[in-house]
Amino acid sequence: MDRSDHESLYRRVRLSPQSRRVATIAAVTTGTLAASTAGFAATMPGPSGNASLEPTAATGTTTASMIGGGSHGTTLAASTVGLAGKIGNPDPTLTSVSIVPDRATVAPNAPVVFTVRATQVGTGQPVTGQRVRIAVANGPQWTTTAQLQTDGSGIAKIATRLLSTTTLTAVFDGTNALRPSLAGATTVTVKSPTTSGSASGSSSASSATPTVIPGSSIGQKIVYLASLQKGKPYVYGAAGPNAFDCSGYAQYVFKQLGRYLPRTAQQQFDASIRIPKAAKQPGDLIFFGSPDNITHMGIYAGNGYMWAAPQTGRTINLQPIYTSTYWVGRFL
């Protein structure tokens, strides 16, 4: 090989800084590191765009409505700076993010606080004043449902209530100076309080009463939330939180999970999807009267029972569906 051949080869292999970054990106996305970036990509919002954790501003700790609720929320978009570009840039500082709940097991609807901490790898310095996204496991996808901002100690907190076992993670999208990072997922288990066995001689009706344990479906959560209002008085025209009429009761319960019902029983009947009696499910609404004159309604709890605000002088209770003449409506 003569001198001109050597110079030609040198020109071919000498890469500019930009070219080296491109080569690094190609190596990462096609080599062993690709597996580690897949977890980060999995936290991007799903196509549905539903957000089930709706934060409101608070001092120190962000508060949120119940996770696993309705579809009224804002799913946050991913960072506009591409992940591949950040991987290819050798300058940003490595970061680490963690998310820890204040308890691993809670009762349904009990408060739990999640603490997010972001630091620089190596130095341990806090990542301050930066956005961190909270993502909730939603089947095979992760849905971004809240954003927090770290304080001067690199910490952000969010308080919420859970109705069912929930898995979350925290995502830092990075900046020009800081690399993105993903926290390990954390799961909080929701367990219903253990109920004591029936005393000897209890009625068969008691054993037939459906158990109010929130499950994975919206209908089961509605039944559980309805049960929390047990014993509150019926007051005509009241819509909570201390007293209810029948339709105000349903409106209040559904609103907690992002379902917005009309105010009166007739309006709710007209707006609902009609369901055959044999196909009714927990969380459906039971309407009494005639289609043009709905006089009363309740929330179906299963097993032939419903939660209802009956009439003046009585309180919200679980009672059998007392007639075979009724209609079923669904908002789920």
Side-chain angles (χ1 to χ4, degrees):
M1 182 179 293
D2 58 24
R3 182 180 179 81
S4 63
D5 291 333
H6 278 288
E7 291 177 350
S8 176
L9 177 63
Y10 179 73
R11 284 194 298 272
R12 287 198 299 272
V13 300
R14 184 174 58 186
L15 300 175
S16 67
Q18 179 62 31
S19 298
R20 286 196 297 273
R21 285 195 290 271
V22 173
T24 302
I25 296 170
V28 168
T29 56
T30 58
T32 57
L33 288 181
S36 66
T37 63
F40 184 86
T43 65
M44 297 302 133
S48 65
N50 288 344
S52 52
L53 189 155
E54 302 167 357
T56 55
T59 303
T61 301
T62 298
T63 58
S65 63
M66 281 161 285
I67 293 176
S71 57
H72 295 268
T74 302
T75 298
L76 302 174
S79 171
T80 56
V81 180
L83 176 62
K86 295 174 185 178
I87 293 174
N89 186 347
D91 298 329
T93 301
L94 292 172
T95 61
S96 175
V97 176
S98 64
I99 180 169
V100 179
D102 63 348
R103 62 198 72 185
T105 302
V106 296
N109 202 38
V112 58
V113 177
F114 293 89
T115 299
V116 178
R117 184 184 301 271
T119 59
Q120 298 180 18
V121 173
T123 65
Q125 292 296 311
V127 174
T128 63
Q130 296 296 327
R131 185 185 77 169
V132 177
R133 296 185 291 119
I134 304 300
V136 178
N138 181 15
Q141 298 178 339
W142 289 90
T143 301
T144 300
T145 54
Q147 70 169 346
L148 312 178
Q149 185 167 341
T150 57
D151 61 16
S153 300
I155 293 174
K157 295 185 179 183
I158 186 166
T160 188
R161 294 174 182 270
L162 305 178
L163 288 181
S164 55
T165 297
T166 305
T167 299
L168 298 91
T169 189
V171 185
F172 172 52
D173 287 318
T175 68
N176 289 335
L178 299 168
R179 287 181 180 269
S181 54
L182 169 68
T186 184
T187 299
V188 175
T189 302
V190 175
K191 291 186 177 180
S192 183
T194 302
T195 56
S196 59
S198 300
S200 176
S202 61
S203 67
S204 58
S206 298
S207 61
T209 303
T211 305
V212 285
I213 299 175
S216 59
S217 73
I218 293 296
Q220 290 168 308
K221 291 181 175 68
I222 287 170
V223 173
Y224 177 74
L225 290 172
S227 74
L228 298 182
Q229 309 308 317
K230 179 181 179 181
K232 292 186 178 180
Y234 175 98
V235 174
Y236 179 78
N242 300 315
F244 302 90
D245 63 14
C246 64
S247 57
Y249 174 45
Q251 184 186 57
Y252 180 84
V253 169
F254 275 70
K255 185 177 180 180
Q256 292 181 71
L257 290 176
R259 269 63 177 176
Y260 296 87
L261 274 58
R263 177 59 186 89
T264 69
Q266 184 67 58
Q267 291 169 340
Q268 291 175 7
F269 175 82
D270 294 339
S272 64
I273 300 171
R274 208 68 59 243
I275 302 296
K277 291 179 182 178
K280 62 182 179 294
Q281 297 292 329
D284 287 338
L285 299 182
I286 306 298
F287 295 97
F288 302 93
S290 65
D292 295 327
N293 183 29
I294 298 299
T295 57
H296 185 52
M297 51 88 62
I299 299 172
Y300 185 56
N303 239 19
Y305 282 76
M306 65 178 184
W307 284 99
Q311 61 191 37
T312 302
R314 298 183 61 188
T315 61
I316 288 176
N317 66 88
L318 185 67
Q319 58 184 247
I321 298 176
Y322 51 80
T323 176
S324 60
T325 303
Y326 64 87
W327 286 260
V328 181
R330 179 171 295 172
F331 283 94
L332 306 181

